[in-house]
């Protein structure tokens, strides 16, 4: 047996970088894009020759589009995707029970809709952005193993020449999917199980009378089928496999086309297949997303039923949550313990999505429940969606993930000073979507003021100049930006929504979540909060202080 080829490194510096990202799916690409934005040195590798050409995940939720908007690519995503205006379900008749999505939550986000966008296009969008930042994915590079010691992490990869190469980094991030080698080498179990039902996904063209801006489910005694519109008459079809193919390893287009009219009670025909695959859905997650200086994100950290279209979106947001924290630590602006909040914040989200999708999948996958109970539940659901605005908003906030909050995070504790109304946004909540006018009469979205690179301090003032803030922003240079929003008829909505009676602050994290709030002009309390987890040149013993706080 031949010894593996190890590339000789005359100078280890050539193979030193801060972060190694393993896997260039949507999660890995988002991580690389964010590291590039924060000017962090990294390498990203993937064993494939190019980004996927298959549709795979195909929904971009509002929260992900908000992130894309900060990156300047949201509009392009909308142009190449298909906005869904509504959806419906067939049970025992040719008339679907329909639910409109128009105006579902226009006051909550700039993107009050579901965007149908194939994973292939999402990856291309992120890859193009990465290239625009002067970076690229090292393709046909296989991750072999890593070893962590006090000096850092040594990873071994096999490059395009078949030569094994050592990479020296401080951190490694596994974005390498369900069968993550990084997770396995971290010795983290994958808690959960696999659903027994076999599912198929098919991309093809349909001849059908249904609107192209709506998606549909069909539930009958035997099968579950979903029809999701793409561009140019193409559809994604998802469903349970025919009984005669249960247990088989392969499936063909003709297997699905044959007898497909029995699945959906409308005139329909399938043609021009592009891709078909069969798989089992999983509901699993790791008990931690960090171990030492090693991290996992996306499908490497959690995976669940495709119901809800949240899998890829949750991975994108994992990367977004971790990147700004990693950037601060690498630049010496925050202690290592800040990185523990990645697991503390994102594991809760993963567990909740696994539980929710597991419950929904149970009601649609069990044949007797699907036949007798699911139609009743769907009818009640449709009535609430059409007649109760608060219910529509709740469902949209949940599915779109704009309702995710980190109120129990260590970063959100002891982070409120003064008196606020009970319904005012709290530390750990996402900054609300608020439209107001500036002194020039221009309409602005307050979320657009947060650029994603630094903490952003909003100073709300009726009668004070907040002279101490200039000193604070100088002390936290490159970490904190600030702007004053004075009270006026045009900005009154902001003061009212945020429960600022006269003067106050809202400190926003780079990922658009509220870090701290104060309804008073109290510079000392704000500085005290910042000193808990950020480092300035004057900060001493911060590791010891933060250790007590996080404990």
């Amino acid at each position: 047996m031949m010894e593996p080829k190890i590339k000789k490194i005359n100078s280890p510096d050539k193979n030193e970088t801060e972060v190694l990202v393993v896997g260039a799916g949507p999660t890995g690409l988002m991580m690389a894009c964010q590291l590039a934005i924060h000017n962090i040195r990294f390498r990203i590798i993937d064993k494939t020759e190019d980004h996927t050409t298959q549709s795979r995940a195909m929904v971009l939720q509002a929260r992900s589009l908000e992130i894309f908007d900060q990156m300047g690519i949201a509009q392009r995503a909308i142009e190449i995707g298909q906005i869904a205006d509504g959806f419906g379900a067939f049970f025992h008749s040719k008339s679907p029970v329909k639910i409109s999505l128009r105006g579902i939550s226009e006051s909550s986000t700039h993107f009050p809709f579901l965007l149908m966008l194939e994973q292939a296009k999402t990856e291309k969008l992120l890859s193009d952005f990465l290239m625009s930042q002067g970076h690229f994915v090292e393709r046909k590079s296989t991750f072999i193993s890593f070893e962590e010691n006090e000096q850092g992490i040594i990873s071994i990869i096999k490059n395009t020449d078949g030569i094994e190469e050592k990479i020296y980094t401080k951190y490694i991030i596994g974005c390498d999917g369900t069968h993550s080698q990084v997770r396995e080498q971290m010795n983290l179990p994958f808690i959960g199980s696999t659903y027994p039902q076999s599912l198929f996904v098919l991309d093809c063209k349909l001849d059908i009378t249904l609107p192209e801006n709506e998606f549909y489910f069909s539930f009958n005694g035997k099968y579950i089928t979903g029809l999701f519109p793409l561009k140019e008459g193409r559809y994604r079809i998802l469903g349970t496999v025919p009984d005669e193919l249960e247990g088989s390893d392969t499936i063909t287009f003709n297997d699905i086309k044959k007898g497909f009219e029995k699945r959906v009670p409308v005139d329909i025909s399938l043609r021009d297949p592009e891709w078909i695959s069969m798989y089992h859905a999983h509901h699993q997650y790791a008990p931690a997303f960090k171990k030492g200086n090693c991290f996992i994100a996306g499908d490497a950290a959690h995976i669940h039923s495709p119901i809800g279209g949240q899998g890829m979106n949750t991975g994108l947001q994992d990367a977004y949550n971790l990147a700004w924290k990693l950037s601060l630590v690498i630049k010496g602006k925050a202690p290592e313990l800040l990185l523990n909040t990645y697991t503390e914040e994102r594991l809760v989200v993963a567990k909740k999505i696994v539980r929710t999708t597991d419950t929904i999948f149970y009601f649609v996958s069990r044949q007797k429940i699907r036949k007798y109970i699911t139609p009743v539940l769907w009818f009640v659901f449709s009535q609430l969606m059409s007649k109760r605005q608060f219910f529509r908003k709740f469902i949209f906030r949940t599915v779109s993930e704009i309702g995710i909050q980190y109120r129990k995070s260590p970063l959100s504790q002891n982070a409120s000073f003064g008196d606020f109304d009970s319904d005012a946004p709290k530390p750990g909540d996402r900054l609300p979507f608020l439209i107001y006018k500036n002194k020039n009469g221009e309409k602005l979205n307050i979320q657009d003021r947060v650029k994603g690179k630094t903490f952003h301090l909003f100073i709300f003032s009726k009668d004070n100049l907040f002279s101490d803030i200039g000193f604070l922003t100088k002390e936290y240079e490159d970490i904190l930006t600030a702007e004053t929003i004075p009270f006026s008829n045009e900005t009154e909505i902001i003061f009212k929504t945020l429960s600022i009676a006269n003067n106050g602050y809202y400190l926003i994290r780079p990922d658009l979540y509220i870090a701290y709030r104060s309804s008073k002009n109290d510079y000392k309390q704000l500085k005290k909060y910042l000193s808990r987890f950020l480092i300035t040149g004057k900060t001493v013993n911060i590791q010891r202080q933060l250790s007590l706080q996080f404990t």
Side-chain angles (χ1 to χ4, degrees):
M1 182 175 179
M2 295 182 62
E3 291 291 325
K5 297 179 181 179
I6 303 292
K7 184 177 181 179
K8 293 183 179 180
I9 304 173
N10 296 324
S11 171
D13 290 344
K14 293 181 179 179
N15 285 65
E16 286 185 359
T17 192
E18 299 287 358
V19 183
L20 174 64
V21 180
V22 181
T27 301
L29 287 169
M30 174 60 82
M31 178 60 67
C33 289
Q34 293 300 316
L35 292 175
I37 288 172
H38 289 286
N39 296 315
I40 299 299
R41 294 187 301 120
F42 68 92
R43 291 175 65 175
I44 176 171
I45 64 170
D46 195 277
K47 62 185 178 182
T48 62
E49 188 172 356
D50 200 354
H51 66 79
T52 184
T53 58
Q54 301 165 346
S55 63
R56 298 183 181 272
M58 57 163 296
V59 177
L60 270 181
Q61 302 286 3
R63 180 66 191 118
S64 298
L65 283 168
E66 289 177 349
I67 297 171
F68 278 30
D69 200 33
Q70 284 186 309
M71 298 166 65
I73 59 175
Q75 192 56 44
R76 179 56 182 159
I78 293 170
E79 289 172 0
I80 61 178
Q82 174 68 58
I83 292 176
D85 285 337
F87 62 102
F90 293 96
F91 291 99
H92 309 297
S93 86
K94 291 187 176 184
S95 299
V97 181
K98 296 176 65 172
I99 298 172
S100 173
L101 294 176
R102 293 183 181 179
I104 188 169
S105 198
E106 291 180 344
S107 62
S108 299
T109 177
H110 191 55
F111 308 101
F113 48 77
L114 300 182
L115 182 68
M116 301 296 171
L117 185 67
E118 305 100 304
Q119 182 174 323
K121 292 182 178 180
T122 300
E123 289 189 15
K124 178 66 164 55
L125 199 61
L126 291 170
S127 295
D128 289 347
F129 179 88
L130 189 62
M131 290 182 65
S132 74
Q133 300 293 306
H135 298 272
F136 63 92
V137 178
E138 298 177 41
R139 295 286 180 183
K140 298 175 69 175
S141 296
T142 305
F143 173 77
I144 305 298
S145 64
F146 77 87
E147 179 182 343
E148 183 176 13
N149 55 40
E150 294 180 357
Q151 284 70 46
I153 296 172
I154 303 173
S155 299
I156 299 177
I157 70 169
K158 183 179 290 186
N159 62 29
T160 55
D161 298 324
I163 298 175
E164 292 192 354
E165 172 188 359
K166 288 184 178 179
I167 301 177
Y168 300 84
T169 64
K170 183 68 180 293
Y171 303 97
I172 184 172
I173 305 173
C175 305
D176 48 342
T178 310
H179 305 291
S180 169
Q181 288 182 272
V182 175
R183 185 190 67 240
E184 289 182 5
Q185 293 189 32
M186 290 168 67
N187 292 317
L188 292 174
F190 219 27
I191 301 167
S193 59
T194 301
Y195 295 108
Q197 296 87 356
S198 296
L199 302 174
F200 74 88
V201 287
L202 166 65
D203 288 351
C204 66
K205 287 191 174 182
L206 291 186
D207 293 320
I208 192 170
T209 56
L210 297 175
E212 291 186 355
N213 59 348
E214 297 177 351
F215 60 94
Y216 290 86
F217 299 98
S218 179
F219 305 97
N220 61 30
K222 249 186 170 183
Y223 304 118
I224 312 167
T225 307
L227 305 175
F228 304 90
L230 303 173
K231 288 283 190 177
E232 301 168 347
R234 296 162 49 247
Y235 273 77
R236 153 68 63 84
I237 303 174
L238 182 148
T240 48
V241 304
D243 292 341
E244 61 271 18
L245 291 176
E246 190 65 58
S248 175
D249 294 328
T250 59
I251 194 169
T252 68
F253 173 67
N254 287 332
D255 291 330
I256 300 302
K257 183 178 180 180
K258 180 182 178 182
F260 191 80
E261 66 278 357
K262 297 178 182 178
R263 288 177 171 265
V264 184
V266 293
D267 293 334
I268 186 172
S269 63
L270 285 59
R271 59 185 174 85
D272 301 336
E274 297 176 354
W275 173 60
I276 186 169
S277 180
M278 184 164 57
Y279 71 103
H280 285 272
H282 307 269
H283 48 127
Q284 296 174 279
Y285 59 87
F289 297 170
K290 174 184 181 295
K291 189 173 183 180
N293 284 345
C294 309
F295 302 85
I296 50 176
D299 286 354
H302 48 77
I303 190 168
H304 48 82
S305 160
I307 288 178
Q310 295 172 305
M312 179 182 69
N313 293 273
T314 307
L316 294 173
Q317 293 161 44
D318 287 344
Y320 196 57
N321 182 283
L322 177 58
W324 68 267
K325 298 172 181 178
L326 204 55
S327 169
L328 286 175
V329 172
I330 289 172
K331 293 176 180 177
K333 304 292 186 179
E336 290 273 349
L337 285 169
L338 176 65
L339 299 177
N340 292 343
T341 66
Y342 169 61
T343 283
E344 291 170 309
E345 292 181 348
R346 296 305 297 174
L347 180 57
V348 174
V349 174
K351 285 182 176 180
K352 185 176 181 179
I353 292 176
V354 167
R355 287 195 302 267
T356 303
T357 56
D358 190 39
T359 300
I360 297 173
F361 194 80
Y362 174 83
F363 277 97
V364 300
S365 62
R366 298 298 191 273
Q367 190 165 326
K368 288 185 178 179
I369 293 177
R370 185 168 71 242
K371 185 175 181 180
Y372 299 108
I373 299 178
T374 302
V376 177
L377 293 177
W378 187 276
F379 177 77
V380 172
F381 176 75
S382 66
Q383 291 298 302
L384 289 171
M385 286 289 286
S386 63
K387 297 180 179 180
R388 297 288 185 268
Q389 184 63 17
F390 76 90
F391 186 77
R392 286 166 62 84
K393 285 187 175 182
F394 170 76
I395 293 297
F396 182 77
R397 287 177 61 83
T398 301
V399 174
S400 68
E401 302 190 316
I402 63 173
I404 289 173
Q405 48 85 5
Y406 305 128
R407 292 181 184 177
K408 294 184 178 180
S409 168
L411 300 181
S412 305
Q413 304 308 304
N414 301 315
S416 183
F417 183 71
D419 299 320
F420 290 88
D421 294 338
S422 60
D423 59 348
K426 298 174 176 57
D429 289 353
R430 163 182 159 274
L431 176 67
F433 173 74
L434 292 169
I435 300 294
Y436 68 102
K437 290 182 180 180
N438 63 11
K439 60 182 180 181
N440 297 322
E442 298 173 305
K443 280 190 176 182
L444 301 175
N445 168 16
I446 195 171
Q447 292 179 342
D448 290 340
R449 313 302 297 167
V450 183
K451 302 302 181 183
K453 292 186 179 181
T454 62
F455 282 81
H456 194 88
L457 181 65
F458 288 106
I459 305 162
F460 302 102
S461 172
K462 278 191 176 181
D463 50 33
N464 287 316
L465 297 178
F466 292 86
S467 58
D468 292 329
I469 294 299
F471 173 75
L472 187 65
T473 54
K474 187 174 182 180
E475 186 175 354
Y476 288 95
E477 191 175 7
D478 299 327
I479 304 176
L480 178 66
T481 56
E483 71 171 294
T484 300
I485 298 181
F487 179 84
S488 67
N489 291 335
E490 289 76 17
T491 61
E492 183 178 6
I493 185 175
I494 299 179
F495 281 70
K496 183 177 180 180
T497 302
L498 301 182
S499 189
I500 301 293
N502 291 297
N503 306 288
Y505 313 107
Y506 266 78
L507 179 67
I508 311 302
R509 301 172 7 168
D511 59 358
L512 215 60
Y513 283 86
I514 298 168
Y516 172 88
R517 67 178 185 175
S518 173
S519 63
K520 299 181 180 181
N521 178 12
D522 195 309
Y523 159 77
K524 291 182 180 179
Q525 291 296 326
L526 175 58
K527 184 176 180 180
K528 183 179 179 181
Y529 172 81
L530 289 170
S531 67
R532 281 162 46 192
F533 64 93
L534 295 178
I535 297 175
T536 69
K538 299 178 181 179
T539 305
V540 293
N541 296 325
I542 190 71
Q543 289 280 4
R544 182 178 64 82
Q545 295 172 25
L546 194 64
S547 179
L548 293 174
Q549 165 65 24
F550 278 63
T551 302

